[in-house]
Amino acid sequence: MQAQPFFFNDFLVKNPATTAIIPIKGDSMIDAGIYDGDLAVIERQSSARAGKFVVAQVDGEFTLKELIKTEGGVGDLKWLKEKYFANYKTRFSWPGV
């Protein structure tokens, strides 16, 4: 019996035209199991809901964070490392979810 090739795209990519792999830099998401040097598969979407991880643009830099909703229904980004818990950004845009 001959081994069949395993292609990650078959399992990780729904729409190749809107999908990218990005390197993770930094430690602000380690409590979510996302470490410096990891690779994240992202898919560009026009919207996201609270609780999802998003790639957002903050102060001209791209960042991967959890999208949360505040009391006013405004989206914020949450850092997932204990020393960063107080950090939230409200002015951002996202190219992918």
Side-chain angles (χ1 to χ4, degrees), residues 22-62:
I22 60 167
I24 302 299
K25 295 180 183 175
D27 65 354
S28 66
M29 297 295 286
I30 64 171
D31 289 347
I34 302 171
Y35 297 92
D36 186 48
D38 283 353
L39 296 174
V41 177
I42 63 164
E43 183 177 358
R44 184 181 297 256
Q45 296 178 347
S46 60
S47 63
R49 64 181 188 272
K52 293 290 185 180
F53 294 130
V54 299
V55 174
Q57 191 170 12
V58 178
D59 300 328
E61 299 282 327
F62 290 104

Side-chain angles (χ1 to χ4, degrees), residues 6 13 37-38 41 48 53-54 64 78 84 87 89 92 94:
F6 180 86
V13 178
D38 283 353
V41 177
F53 294 130
V54 299
L64 177 70
K78 181 178 181 181
Y84 297 118
N87 290 342
K89 295 279 186 177
F92 63 90
W94 62 70

Side-chain angles (χ1 to χ4, degrees), residues 70-86:
T70 60
E71 291 180 22
V74 176
D76 274 344
L77 300 176
K78 181 178 181 181
W79 279 237
L80 291 176
K81 183 174 180 183
E82 190 172 341
K83 75 176 185 179
Y84 297 118
F85 276 170

